Amino acid sequence: MPVQGAAAAAAPTVAPTTPPPDATPAQRHPEAPAPGIELGQHYPMCFACGDEQANGLHLRVFAAEGVAVTAQFEVAAAHQGAPGLIHGGLLTLAFDEVMGSLQWMMRIPAVTGRLETDFLRPIPLGRTVHFAARCRGVHGRKLYHCAEGRLDGPDGEPVARASALFVEVRLDHFAKHGRAEEVQAVLDNPGDHRTLRAFEVNP
């Protein structure tokens, strides 16, 4: 019995953002945007990608091959944490948006369940962070994503990496939990919102 207990204690654990061995490969939707197409903002007031957020990241996301996307944004003065450096929480926000955009390649509405970020080096103001993200696998309602950020170009110096677990939800999840005024504004103008265009919602 003690030997068994020791063996169990030594057994490796699987991180919550690591797909299990029986996860299946992600499938690109037949109507996913072609590689190189910009996905556009998913909501104008989104702090990560929205045009109407004066101090937002204004992240630009593009479709890539397979179930993958690329993205970029420039670090502005409003994004500081320490003087002259990006706030780490905003970098995590960018990863959340980039990996969340993978759902548009699969046409699966999903929300973030867990997100882990590794910060590799400080990022100064005025520099551009480039991201690459992909889906590592699907297991039931769980989607496993990973991403990396590089400085000043897709092949630049690595500055951060992240992994995440997203969970598939019904589209009414967003209407149920969002504030009524904002939800109605979206439903009144469905053509203006990537969420509704991508999933062909007819309110």
Side-chain angles (χ1 to χ4, degrees):
M1 183 64 72
V3 174
Q4 292 176 343
T13 57
V14 177
T17 58
T18 299
D22 57 342
T24 59
Q27 298 297 315
R28 182 187 178 97
H29 193 278
E31 297 181 11
I37 296 294
E38 184 170 1
L39 300 186
Q41 60 183 351
H42 80 267
Y43 177 51
M45 291 303 294
C46 173
F47 193 85
C49 68
D51 290 342
E52 295 180 16
Q53 283 286 359
N55 294 322
L57 302 184
H58 300 152
L59 193 70
R60 300 181 65 195
V61 184
F62 301 85
E65 298 282 352
V67 183
V69 297
T70 62
Q72 64 188 62
F73 81 97
E74 183 176 340
V75 183
H79 305 150
Q80 293 178 88
L85 300 172
I86 191 174
H87 191 294
L90 292 185
L91 188 58
T92 298
L93 166 70
F95 274 123
D96 190 32
E97 181 72 16
V98 173
M99 289 189 285
S101 296
L102 291 167
Q103 273 63 266
W104 274 262
M105 307 307 294
M106 297 181 282
R107 298 290 181 95
I108 297 176
V111 294
T112 314
R114 184 181 182 93
L115 193 156
E116 301 170 349
T117 306
D118 295 318
F119 302 96
L120 306 180
R121 61 152 290 173
I123 303 174
L125 301 186
R127 308 290 287 274
T128 300
V129 184
H130 291 253
F131 298 89
R134 63 181 177 88
C135 181
R136 301 171 64 193
V138 178
H139 190 258
R141 294 174 55 217
K142 297 179 179 180
L143 313 173
Y144 295 87
H145 301 332
C146 65
E148 66 173 4
R150 293 176 177 267
L151 203 58
D152 298 330
D155 299 317
E157 180 180 7
V159 290
R161 56 177 173 258
S163 58
L165 165 65
F166 278 72
V167 181
E168 181 179 357
V169 295
R170 292 170 51 91
L171 277 174
D172 61 8
H173 165 92
F174 303 98
K176 179 180 178 180
H177 297 286
R179 196 167 69 165
E181 300 94 307
E182 280 77 8
V183 170
Q184 191 59 50
V186 170
L187 294 178
D188 288 343
N189 297 283
D192 294 339
H193 301 280
R194 174 160 50 104
T195 306
L196 301 189
R197 294 198 311 271
F199 298 107
E200 300 177 354
V201 174
N202 184 12

